[in-house]
Amino acid sequence: MLTSKKRRISLLRYWTTRYAITLAIGLLVLAMLSVVWIRHTTLENRLDVSEFLAAELAGRIAGSQQGSEGRTSAAYLDQDMLDARDELMKMESPPSIFITDAGGTILSEGEQDLYEENAFPSSVLEKNSDVQTFSGLKNDMLVYLIKKPIVVDDVTFGWVVMLQPEDEFADLNDEYRLLALLIIGSGLLGWAAIYILSRRLSRPISAAAAAAKEIRNGNYGVSLIPSKAKEQEVYDLVTSFNDMAVRLEQLEAIRAELLAGVTHELKTPVTSISGLLQAVKDDVVTGDEAKEFIRISLSETERMQTMINDLLEFNTFAANALPVSTAPHELNELTKRIVHEWNLARNPEGIPVHFQAYLHDLLVLMDPDRFRQIMMNLLNNAAHAIEEKGQMTITVRNEDPCALVDVSDTGIGIPDSEQTLIFERFYRGENKKYKVRGLGLGLPFSQLLARAMGGDLELKETSPLGTTFTLKMKKQNRPPK
């Protein structure tokens, strides 16, 4: 058998690598979105805090100018307020704070020396926005400019201007480090989780694969432990595999027994015929005794031919090469006629057979010749199951949407260990194996025929008091008059 040369990987590696790639891509996208969001929200927060601080300073200065005859004096910058602001914004360097008059001339400035001019342009101070970017610094440094007016009695006396370099406002190293730790931690945790789960899932599958190799090599005694599987699907896989192994072991035993059985069944009449004819040839028997030997030889030949025909017919039908044509037939009448025929030709022991017809006519779709084969097989099996005195009952029933024929006997029943095997081709039960000669094709062939006609053949019940087989047939409704 040709096998694919494509390189395959283990289930554990397959899922963990693909999950790791998917997780890495997902976390990378999440990290990029988080960086954008953190940068935006942190920048907005820092600008709001700086704007609040500028407004607070402007308010304090305005309050200190009340009653100072309109003179603008140097304002006191509250260092504690600046420290609190830096702590809140988590920034290392404080902003440059300037106090100007109404025209923008700088009256006071903080310790930072970002702006070298003596005044701020009036165009900057007169803009409606209190927060803007400003580039009029040395080295063309870009800064954020936050301004708030100093208003006393509705008159603008000056401005509080705060400058902070843009790169310091956007310094989010701590936030980025925390985000990186979270992303890496989530990735490792997710990979570990899928690794553990994939490993747990791959173990029973690997065990099943190894056991399947053992079965392929002819070792049918392997089994898996279903109690270790907590997942329902894995449990079903393990139990189904164990059932399959048991079934294969049984079928292998049947196959081996089949070879011996068929050989025996065909060899016995051949040996008998050879011995009888040899006796006639050597004049060991003459006259009427020789004729009897020839008659017995012909009978054995006919029986052997019947077995060979059964085998060929079964194989032909199993290969869908034997046609079945169905048409409506009345079930009560046809069944009664077959039972009567069996009583006349195949009931030498005189076993009582009771026929119970349905109260009304039942039209079923069937091939009458195939139906006859099925009924003859069932009646023969029922007769073989009756060891001493007993009886058989044939009952026709209606159970929508099917019509049923029950074939019951008062025989010895079928052992529990054999009930799942009776429809296996060539299988013969222990009680029947040495009592009745044959190939074990009666029930399997009958079931195939029933299913080909749209019905089925089932074992309804069995016990030491008797057995009942049920033949289901597809009904044909009568056309309206």
Side-chain angles (χ1 to χ4, degrees):
M1 182 178 65
L2 295 177
T3 57
S4 175
K5 295 182 179 180
K6 183 178 179 180
R7 185 172 177 269
R8 305 187 184 279
I9 60 177
S10 66
L11 180 66
L12 178 62
R13 182 180 174 186
Y14 180 88
W15 282 113
T16 51
T17 53
R18 278 155 180 76
Y19 178 81
I21 294 173
T22 304
L23 183 64
I25 295 174
L27 291 178
L28 180 61
V29 173
L30 180 62
M32 295 172 64
L33 295 176
S34 299
V35 166
V36 173
W37 181 79
I38 290 174
R39 180 182 177 87
H40 174 73
T41 55
T42 304
L43 188 59
E44 288 291 326
N45 178 66
R46 289 179 176 180
L47 289 173
D48 289 342
V49 172
S50 296
E51 191 175 356
F52 173 77
L53 175 61
E56 180 70 14
L57 288 176
R60 291 190 181 189
I61 296 173
S64 67
Q65 301 303 311
Q66 298 289 342
S68 60
E69 299 179 357
R71 292 178 292 105
T72 303
S73 60
Y76 170 69
L77 299 180
D78 192 337
Q79 188 62 39
D80 292 336
M81 183 187 298
L82 297 179
D83 293 341
R85 176 263 187 192
D86 294 338
E87 178 66 25
L88 180 63
M89 298 174 63
K90 297 182 179 179
M91 297 177 63
E92 296 181 358
S93 59
S96 293
I97 301 177
F98 301 87
I99 299 174
T100 71
D101 59 15
T105 302
I106 297 175
L107 303 177
S108 176
E109 61 181 288
E111 298 178 357
Q112 298 293 329
D113 187 17
L114 288 179
Y115 191 60
E116 297 179 342
E117 303 295 332
N118 295 325
F120 286 98
S122 58
S123 59
V124 173
L125 299 177
E126 291 174 359
K127 279 187 178 181
N128 292 331
S129 176
D130 291 335
V131 179
Q132 54 190 285
T133 55
F134 183 63
S135 59
L137 304 180
K138 57 184 179 180
N139 299 327
D140 293 329
M141 181 187 299
L142 188 63
V143 298
Y144 280 101
L145 184 147
I146 300 97
K147 62 182 179 65
K148 287 294 180 179
I150 303 171
V151 180
V152 179
D153 296 332
D154 296 329
V155 178
T156 300
F157 278 83
W159 299 87
V160 173
V161 180
M162 299 180 62
L163 299 179
Q164 186 86 40
E166 184 184 37
D167 56 352
E168 294 182 6
F169 253 110
D171 183 12
L172 304 173
N173 290 335
D174 291 340
E175 288 79 359
Y176 291 159
R177 290 192 192 97
L178 179 60
L179 177 62
L181 288 176
L182 290 175
I183 294 295
I184 294 174
S186 299
L188 292 176
L189 182 61
W191 181 85
I194 196 64
Y195 178 83
I196 294 173
L197 294 176
S198 298
R199 185 177 180 184
R200 177 180 176 82
L201 179 62
S202 65
R203 281 181 177 176
I205 297 177
S206 299
K213 291 180 181 179
E214 291 293 325
I215 291 178
R216 183 184 62 186
N217 294 331
N219 179 18
Y220 299 104
V222 297
S223 63
L224 304 176
I225 304 176
S227 59
K228 291 185 177 181
K230 296 181 180 179
E231 299 83 358
Q232 183 63 44
E233 292 79 6
V234 177
Y235 177 83
D236 292 341
L237 171 65
V238 171
T239 52
S240 298
F241 184 91
N242 288 337
D243 293 341
M244 180 195 68
V246 172
R247 184 74 166 172
L248 287 175
E249 189 172 15
Q250 292 174 339
L251 293 178
E252 179 63 20
I254 293 174
R255 186 186 68 82
E257 187 176 344
L258 162 67
L259 182 60
V262 171
T263 302
H264 173 75
E265 292 295 334
L266 295 179
K267 181 179 179 181
T268 299
V270 170
T271 303
S272 176
I273 293 169
S274 177
L276 292 171
L277 294 179
Q278 189 67 39
V280 174
K281 177 184 177 183
D282 296 342
D283 295 328
V284 175
V285 293
T286 58
D288 293 339
E289 190 175 8
K291 291 181 179 180
E292 179 66 15
F293 273 38
I294 293 175
R295 186 191 65 78
I296 295 174
S297 298
L298 291 174
S299 177
E300 289 292 302
T301 301
E302 182 180 355
R303 189 169 65 84
M304 184 172 66
Q305 186 176 4
T306 300
M307 286 190 294
I308 294 175
N309 288 338
D310 288 344
L311 182 59
L312 293 176
E313 188 176 30
F314 178 85
N315 289 334
T316 302
F317 189 81
N320 296 321
L322 192 63
V324 172
S325 82
T326 59
H329 292 272
E330 209 288 309
L331 185 60
N332 284 322
E333 179 183 351
L334 186 57
T335 306
K336 183 178 180 179
R337 187 165 65 245
I338 292 173
V339 172
H340 179 68
E341 178 186 341
W342 186 85
N343 265 324
L344 292 178
R346 303 192 182 188
N347 191 11
E349 302 295 332
I351 301 173
V353 181
H354 305 285
F355 176 69
Q356 298 178 357
Y358 187 62
L359 297 177
H360 306 286
D361 289 347
L362 285 174
L363 279 181
V364 297
L365 291 173
M366 69 165 72
D367 185 325
D369 293 332
R370 302 306 175 190
F371 178 72
R372 180 182 178 278
Q373 282 182 278
I374 297 173
M375 290 300 300
M376 287 296 179
N377 281 329
L378 293 177
L379 291 169
N380 287 334
N381 286 345
H384 295 153
I386 298 174
E387 293 187 338
E388 297 178 357
K389 292 183 179 182
Q391 62 182 7
M392 294 159 39
T393 303
I394 314 301
T395 306
V396 178
R397 298 187 290 120
N398 179 28
E399 189 176 289
D400 288 332
C402 298
L404 309 177
V405 180
D406 292 336
V407 180
S408 304
D409 63 66
T410 57
I412 58 176
I414 303 173
D416 293 341
S417 60
E418 298 179 4
Q419 292 177 17
T420 59
L421 301 172
I422 57 175
F423 290 107
E424 291 294 338
R425 61 193 70 182
F426 306 112
Y427 177 77
R428 304 179 66 209
E430 292 296 325
N431 293 327
K432 192 176 180 181
K433 186 182 302 181
Y434 305 106
K435 179 182 177 182
V436 182
R437 301 178 69 177
L439 297 178
L441 292 175
L443 284 176
F445 191 32
S446 297
Q447 189 179 61
L448 281 177
L449 290 173
R451 290 177 176 176
M453 293 187 291
D456 202 357
L457 177 62
E458 299 175 349
L459 173 63
K460 181 180 179 183
E461 59 184 3
T462 183
S463 70
L465 301 178
T467 299
T468 299
F469 283 92
T470 298
L471 174 62
K472 295 182 178 180
M473 303 298 296
K474 187 176 181 181
K475 288 200 305 182
Q476 170 68 42
N477 296 325
R478 290 184 181 275
K481 294 182 181 180

